[in-house]
Amino acid sequence: MNTSTLIAPPALVKRDQQHDTAAVQALDSAHFIHPFTDHGDLATRGSRVIVKADNIYIWDSEGKRMLDAMSGLWCVNAGYGRKELADAAYQQMMTLPFYNSFFQTTNVPAVRLAAKLSSLAPSVGGRSFQHVFYSSSGSESNDTNVRMVRRYWDLLGQPERKVIISRENAYHGSTMAGASLGGMSGMHAQGDLPIPNITHIGQPYFTENARAGESRADFGVRAARWLEEKILAIGPDKVAAFIAEPVQGAGGVIIPPETYWPEIQRIVDKYGILLISDEVICAFGRLGHWFAYEKFGYRPDLVTFAKGVTSGYIPLGGVMVGDRVAKVLIDQGGEFNHGYTYSGHPVACAVALANIELMEREGLVERVKNDTGPYLAERFEELNAHPLVGLAETCGFVGGLTLVKHKATQAPFDAHLGVGMICRAHCFNNGLIMRAVGDRMIISPPLVTTREQIDELMGLIHTCLDATLADLRAQGQLA
Ligand code: PXG
């Protein structure tokens, strides 16, 4: 028997609201296996304990305040401490905390939210989104996509259309289907992934994949044509769908050239394959639009969402089902043998409605599009003058900068130096949450971030880049 469970846990929060960091860390490493974490390593270092948050700041158990330029994990779009969202959850929990939506049953928040989401998803080229399928996360939503896409082609009498094409370095979640759709080789290596009939093409990452002298525009078209080459190699009558993030998030904020999406649209139209836009990060104002396909002007058939729909206050995800797919499922479908206990969870849907209402009231999407997004772009691009920065770029309220060894040639550092991790450590020490993906530093700030706070953020980034530069010079890695 594990005796530790019989012992009362130590008091983790003392009377004066001070936290016993060491006690939390000990209990953490004894019992909590964290996602995407080397548990053995964590046990020797101890976790950072986050205890509270407000607006765009978080505090750890030692009282240190940090500017959270990652919105938690790309999700706290409305910022922390929004009473409206807590009130919505409380009211709904007291009225109807749960009921399922199987067996011809529904609930009011789920219905209201589905109608609201349908009204927010713009029609493009005569295609609209009138239906929503709910889940509790981005991963589950992409599992739904795989099931729904295959069901669609089965119903149309083309069951041989099974292959879903995705991209290398994409992130579509961590379930078996989500990780298979994703293009992360480290994830594929654990668990015999991808599952059958999922394959990948290259990503539209100009810095890494363009040829010498190739323009951004030419590269965008060439990268999109990798899709056509793959379709032809597989056989067009075997391809079911193409899935992609509008801007790759977890892969390092990879912003495609402007020519990329129009060429992708031409190709999916030519071969009649379904287009899935995975907007788990990019929707709900992140790129200055409720849905990101509008920004790039393409016409998806299915749109994955999660994270920002509730600003991360409570788990909710789903798929916006476009008319083309919905019509077949509804008119010809019969029962679709798929769903989750928490599909259409009333509390999650009530919080999402309150979140959308708050975002509309404060004009957050327009603010990012017309005011703070352009201001962030202007300030972030100033980082291009820093000796360590190869390319700093933003799209709406996501940004990425590459740390390079030689500015003129864009030559990267040796990977073993872990320059991104050195920079990230300086960020933590200086009170800034900025992510490192290899040597690319990325941000995704809450949409409530003001111009003054963008100035504060830029000051912190400069401090951390300077500290990283000083370290590398001291190590003799730079002249
Ligand atoms: N699609 C996309 C585009 C995502 O960014 C998922 C699906 C999966 O969502 P869930 O809710 O199942 O986690 C995501 C999630 C990172 C990081 O390191 C990014 C995500 C999740 C965890 C870590 O940037 N994105």
Side-chain angles (χ1 to χ4, degrees):
M1 184 188 291
N2 179 356
T3 50
S4 71
T5 55
L6 300 177
I7 301 167
L12 302 179
V13 184
K14 299 176 194 155
R15 278 227 180 84
D16 53 5
Q17 290 302 307
Q18 293 299 304
H19 289 75
D20 186 339
T21 303
V24 179
Q25 288 172 331
L27 212 56
D28 180 60
S29 72
H31 297 290
F32 182 4
I33 296 185
H34 292 241
F36 281 93
T37 300
D38 177 340
H39 196 65
D41 180 55
L42 187 73
T44 61
R45 290 166 196 248
S47 295
R48 189 170 291 99
V49 183
I50 305 302
V51 295
K52 65 172 187 177
D54 187 41
N55 185 235
I56 66 166
Y57 304 97
I58 61 172
W59 281 260
D60 73 11
S61 53
E62 300 293 289
K64 186 178 176 63
R65 185 186 93 148
M66 288 170 277
L67 190 163
D68 181 11
M70 280 308 298
S71 302
L73 199 51
W74 318 86
C75 50
V76 187
N77 291 8
Y80 297 99
R82 307 308 303 251
K83 185 171 181 303
E84 300 92 324
L85 306 194
D87 285 345
Y90 176 81
Q91 293 298 339
Q92 188 57 44
M93 282 188 185
M94 296 308 289
T95 312
L96 178 73
F98 176 74
Y99 201 76
N100 74 70
S101 44
F102 292 48
F103 321 127
Q104 290 82 46
T105 314
T106 197
N107 68 76
V108 175
V111 173
R112 283 186 54 215
L113 180 62
K116 183 72 194 174
L117 291 172
S118 299
S119 76
L120 291 176
S123 330
V124 194
R127 294 189 198 176
S128 74
F129 292 88
Q130 297 302 323
H131 296 86
V132 181
F133 188 98
Y134 290 116
S135 74
S136 303
S137 69
S139 301
E140 287 176 354
S141 305
N142 281 327
D143 278 47
T144 294
N145 279 327
V146 173
R147 302 274 326 268
M148 199 176 272
V149 157
R150 293 189 175 153
R151 174 86 178 135
Y152 169 84
W153 288 114
D154 283 351
L155 287 169
L156 288 182
Q158 299 181 56
E160 64 286 356
R161 278 208 194 240
K162 291 247 187 303
V163 179
I164 302 178
I165 303 175
S166 180
R167 303 183 299 188
E168 291 156 12
N169 199 35
Y171 191 81
H172 296 298
S174 200
T175 51
M176 294 293 278
S180 296
L181 292 170
M184 304 276 178
S185 51
M187 292 176 77
H188 290 172
Q190 297 177 354
D192 290 334
L193 303 180
I195 56 173
N197 289 313
I198 290 176
T199 186
H200 300 80
I201 60 171
Q203 58 176 334
Y205 187 17
F206 183 73
T207 307
E208 277 193 5
N209 303 110
R211 292 178 180 142
E214 191 174 27
S215 71
R216 220 179 138 81
D218 287 349
F219 170 68
V221 173
R222 186 166 67 85
R225 293 207 178 138
W226 294 333
L227 175 61
E228 187 156 30
E229 288 163 22
K230 185 63 109 180
I231 293 169
L232 292 172
I234 296 165
D237 54 350
K238 294 200 173 58
V239 180
F242 175 61
I243 182 168
E245 301 154 81
V247 168
Q248 281 155 268
V253 180
I254 313 296
I255 304 165
E258 283 191 359
T259 49
Y260 182 76
W261 275 111
E263 184 64 5
I264 290 286
Q265 185 71 58
R266 181 192 69 77
I267 296 165
V268 295
D269 284 349
K270 180 172 174 188
Y271 298 99
I273 69 175
L274 294 170
L275 178 57
I276 309 169
S277 186
D278 182 345
E279 306 202 0
V280 166
I281 286 176
C282 294
F284 299 101
R286 181 60 51 206
L287 302 190
H289 296 261
W290 286 104
F291 289 96
Y293 65 84
E294 186 183 35
K295 178 177 177 65
F296 295 103
Y298 58 91
R299 302 183 295 278
D301 299 294
L302 298 161
V303 179
T304 322
F305 65 88
K307 295 190 189 273
V309 64
T310 58
S311 283
Y313 277 60
I314 197 164
L316 180 68
V319 177
M320 299 300 300
V321 185
D323 301 343
R324 176 180 171 192
V325 175
K327 196 166 167 33
V328 172
L329 288 184
I330 294 164
D331 292 355
Q332 308 183 207
E335 184 165 332
F336 180 33
N337 298 321
H338 175 70
Y340 308 108
T341 299
Y342 298 128
S343 289
H345 193 292
V347 179
C349 293
V351 172
L353 281 163
N355 180 54
I356 291 168
E357 203 175 290
L358 177 161
M359 289 179 68
E360 285 182 326
R361 198 169 57 243
E362 298 184 359
L364 290 181
V365 180
E366 293 74 22
R367 209 203 289 180
V368 167
K369 185 177 180 195
N370 301 319
D371 179 17
T372 48
Y375 185 64
L376 178 68
E378 184 187 316
R379 296 293 329 268
F380 206 74
E381 275 161 28
E382 289 169 17
L383 295 168
N384 284 311
H386 194 278
L388 264 188
V389 174
L391 177 65
E393 53 184 343
T394 65
C395 183
F397 248 38
V398 292
L401 63 87
T402 314
L403 302 171
V404 292
K405 184 166 183 170
H406 293 295
K407 208 173 169 61
T409 60
Q410 300 271 310
F413 287 101
D414 287 341
H416 78 269
L417 291 174
V419 174
M421 295 309 272
I422 295 174
C423 184
R424 197 184 72 153
H426 284 300
C427 293
F428 279 129
N429 293 339
N430 285 286
L432 170 64
I433 304 290
M434 174 158 80
R435 282 265 325 267
V437 177
D439 288 348
R440 196 157 163 84
M441 306 306 299
I442 59 176
I443 58 163
S444 176
L447 309 188
V448 290
T449 306
T450 62
R451 282 176 169 247
E452 292 70 32
Q453 288 171 325
I454 290 173
D455 292 340
E456 181 188 351
L457 166 65
M458 296 314 299
L460 287 168
I461 295 177
H462 270 287
T463 303
C464 299
L465 289 175
D466 288 347
T468 308
L469 184 66
D471 275 1
L472 292 167
R473 285 196 172 134
Q475 287 175 21
Q477 300 297 341
L478 280 169

